[in-house]
Amino acid sequence: KSFLNHTAYLSCYFTNSQKTDIKDLIVFWQKVDGEVVHEVYHGQEKHDNLSPKYINRTKMDMDKWTLQLLNAGIVDEGQYTCIIQHRDKGSAKVIHRSECLLHIIANYSQPEIAWLHIGELKPNEYLNLSCSSSGGYPKPKQMTWLISHENITQKRMGHMDVSQDPVTKLYNVTSTLNIPVPTNTPTNISCLLQLREQLGSLVSVPLSI
């Protein structure tokens, strides 16, 4: 996993138990669609075959056998293959191959509750609220409303609307809640955004009524 616009580290897990000289090796990384991401020929980086979007964006740490992908974007997500060949007597033989799956993460903003109600709240009317969070990736799991009064918390699933920016590919999410106006008891209403990939959840500042 890598945060959006940060450096992603893709490991090749090569132990080099034979202590092979780097000058006898050919190392190249490619994406599953065949795009060439990085090449090292006999200790020297080679740029001839690189896909244009990876030029000047990759660095190989030959001690740790790790590729650094600078300024990682959502378009960089996917599976990468690292292939190491040993050139011996003119022929090259694959001595190591490994795969790495890159996921990009962008932090959502803290969910924020807004009133969709104009004028004073009166008993027997309905309370209309929306909760929004923006600029995150990947797509969130769900948005839940938490309604608390007298030490009891109820969960409500409002209608969740998810949209993706066509350029940045980041997601915006909004949920609406429509409930009878609470009467007689102080009520706290919060909104919880649950994320994917074991990324936890985000909660809004509670609204007190």
Side-chain angles (χ1 to χ4, degrees):
K1 293 186 177 77
S2 174
F3 281 101
L4 181 68
N5 300 329
H6 285 58
T7 298
Y9 295 87
L10 307 175
S11 178
C12 199
Y13 296 117
F14 180 56
T15 55
N16 196 14
S17 54
Q18 306 294 318
K19 301 285 185 268
T20 309
D21 190 330
I22 188 70
K23 292 192 173 114
D24 294 328
L25 296 178
I26 298 167
V27 182
F28 63 95
W29 286 82
Q30 64 183 38
K31 277 196 91 172
V32 73
D33 58 7
E35 284 183 310
V36 178
V37 179
H38 193 85
E39 288 185 299
V40 180
Y41 269 65
H42 310 302
Q44 297 294 316
E45 292 190 345
K46 190 178 171 191
H47 303 284
D48 305 0
N49 303 317
L50 295 191
S51 168
K53 70 182 181 190
Y54 293 109
I55 291 172
N56 298 325
R57 288 186 58 217
T58 55
K59 286 197 287 190
M60 183 84 187
D61 184 335
M62 302 304 282
D63 295 325
K64 296 178 181 172
W65 299 97
T66 299
L67 182 71
Q68 296 177 34
L69 176 59
L70 310 179
N71 197 28
I74 291 167
V75 292
D76 296 319
E77 272 201 323
Q79 188 166 291
Y80 291 77
T81 303
C82 163
I83 298 167
I84 300 176
Q85 295 178 334
H86 180 234
R87 188 168 287 283
D88 185 32
K89 294 175 185 168
S91 63
K93 176 182 159 195
V94 174
I95 57 171
H96 180 78
R97 182 189 182 102
S98 67
E99 290 171 345
C100 190
L101 194 58
L102 177 63
H103 294 283
I104 299 297
I105 301 162
N107 287 327
Y108 282 86
S109 63
Q110 183 181 15
E112 201 169 305
I113 295 176
W115 293 86
L116 301 176
H117 186 91
I118 298 167
E120 268 186 68
L121 284 180
K122 294 179 183 144
N124 304 320
E125 286 190 349
Y126 275 79
L127 182 66
N128 287 318
L129 300 173
S130 76
C131 181
S132 301
S133 175
S134 61
Y137 192 90
K139 193 173 181 178
K141 201 170 176 182
Q142 62 186 32
M143 200 174 242
T144 309
W145 291 86
L146 306 174
I147 304 163
S148 305
H149 52 87
E150 294 179 341
N151 298 326
I152 296 168
T153 299
Q154 295 176 312
K155 283 189 177 181
R156 288 284 293 269
M157 304 291 295
H159 171 72
M160 186 174 85
D161 181 44
V162 179
S163 62
Q164 187 177 28
D165 187 291
V167 177
T168 67
K169 304 299 180 191
L170 298 176
Y171 288 99
N172 300 320
V173 54
T174 301
S175 177
T176 52
L177 180 72
N178 185 264
I179 57 169
V181 172
T183 53
N184 304 327
T185 57
T187 300
N188 277 337
I189 299 175
S190 302
C191 154
L192 182 74
L193 179 64
Q194 291 170 279
L195 307 173
R196 295 185 185 274
E197 312 280 349
Q198 293 83 48
L199 296 172
S201 54
L202 296 169
V203 68
S204 69
V205 173
L207 178 70
S208 298
I209 297 170

